[in-house]
Structures are given as structure tokens and as C-alpha cells.
Amino acid sequence: MTATTVHSVTVPRVTLPGVTTTKVPSTPTSAAALPHRDPAFDLPAQRRTRSDAPDWTDLTERVKDAGQYPTRAGAERVTRIVLSALGGHVTADERVELARALPDEAARVIASQIPVTRPLTAAEFVESVAARIDGSTPATARWDVSSVLSVVADLIDTDLLTRILAQLPAGYALLFGRAELSPAQ
């Protein structure tokens, strides 16, 4: 028997006599031909494997591009702040699935947060991020939040994003770069 470590949990690997496993080849994506895009970002989270999942550098480069930050270090700082703020607001299975869909370092930032007792409105959420960034205003914090969360929205599948938005108060969809649709009356 061997053991495999997945997300800091060691799971024993048991081989049963007479049982064989086969590796399923990954499905190629058309974005793989594009040199400026990492094809792993184009795969829905549930189809991604750890070998093709974007890493922390890929994530922060995407945030750097989305937010037009001059340095990756600046994008990395903003990404950590926004993900730590988000980590307390996403709970239950959605939190676990979100962590699985993101690079390990981003998953640790989200998972290390204590769940909030009262979810913040979207405006309060932006203000809380502004309070964590020196020299930030509500307008620049909204830019920072949207830069990070729009990249996160591109990394996760639509079903997960819909379930996350259902947990959050109205207004968060816009922060994720999605339209906020009101329910039919």
C-alpha cells in the first residue's frame, strides 16, 4: 500500500488484486493553440487536473493583466487580500469546490479564513478590502476586487459560480464580472 498527499491530507492508496485502473486521456482544447493563453484557464474546474491546473504565478499574471497592475508583486498582494476577504464569505461545499478549482496557494488563502457571522453587502465587502490596502479608496478597491474576482469567475465552472453568488448578498455578481439578473416576478 502506498499513500498520496492531496491538499495536505494523506490518503492511503489501496491496490486490490485483479482490479486494474486506466488513465483517461485529457480532452484537448482549442485554446491550446493560442500562445498568449494558458489552456488550463479554459477548462472548467471539474475537468481540470492538478497537472493542468493554473499555478499561483499563472493566476497572478491573469490578475495583473485584468487589473493592469504594473508589477506581478502588486497583483499578488491584491489577489491575497481579495481572496482572504472572500474566504470568509463562501461556505460549505462551495468553499471546498472553490478551493479545489484554484491553485494551491490561493486555496490555502481561502481555506484559512474563519467564516463570517454576517455576510457583507457588496459595497461593504469592497470597503473592507479598501481598509486592508494602504492608500485605497472605494473606487480603487472596487477595481481591485473586480480584477481578482473576474479572474476567479473564469477559473470556476458556471454552476459553482451560480451557487457561490446564491450564498452572497445582491451585488456580488458585478464584482465577479457577471450581470446581476433579478428573479422573474
Side-chain angles (χ1 to χ4, degrees):
M1 177 165 55
T2 61
T4 303
T5 302
V6 178
H7 295 291
S8 302
V9 175
T10 302
V11 180
R13 180 177 293 168
V14 178
T15 305
L16 299 174
V19 177
T20 60
T21 58
T22 59
K23 186 173 182 177
V24 178
S26 63
T27 305
T29 65
S30 60
L34 299 174
H36 65 284
R37 298 261 337 239
D38 180 346
F41 280 104
D42 297 321
L43 294 174
Q46 65 199 85
R47 285 187 35 216
R48 253 186 251 124
T49 64
R50 270 302 179 214
S51 64
D52 64 3
D55 65 13
W56 179 253
T57 302
D58 296 330
L59 173 66
T60 56
E61 279 296 324
R62 285 280 301 255
V63 170
K64 179 181 178 266
D65 292 343
Q68 300 176 351
Y69 298 103
T71 65
R72 193 172 69 78
E76 184 174 323
R77 182 176 55 84
V78 166
T79 302
R80 284 183 192 284
I81 291 168
V82 172
L83 291 179
S84 68
L86 180 65
H89 287 76
V90 178
T91 59
D93 291 341
E94 289 75 19
R95 182 174 172 156
V96 172
E97 288 181 48
L98 177 60
R100 281 187 192 143
L102 297 176
D104 289 339
E105 195 161 342
R108 283 190 294 274
V109 170
I110 287 176
S112 67
Q113 303 308 305
I114 297 170
V116 297
T117 56
R118 181 187 71 83
L120 299 176
T121 65
E124 291 170 333
F125 182 82
V126 168
E127 289 171 11
S128 76
V129 170
R132 298 177 187 197
I133 300 173
D134 291 335
S136 185
T137 66
T140 59
R142 187 180 192 306
W143 178 268
D144 294 335
V145 169
S146 292
S147 297
V148 174
L149 295 185
S150 65
V151 170
V152 168
D154 289 343
L155 286 174
I156 63 178
D157 65 26
T158 305
D159 176 61
L160 176 57
L161 179 58
T162 301
R163 288 184 288 127
I164 288 171
L165 291 173
Q167 286 187 357
L168 301 170
Y172 277 83
L174 294 174
L175 297 175
F176 280 91
R178 300 303 190 258
E180 182 102 41
L181 302 175
S182 61
Q185 299 293 328

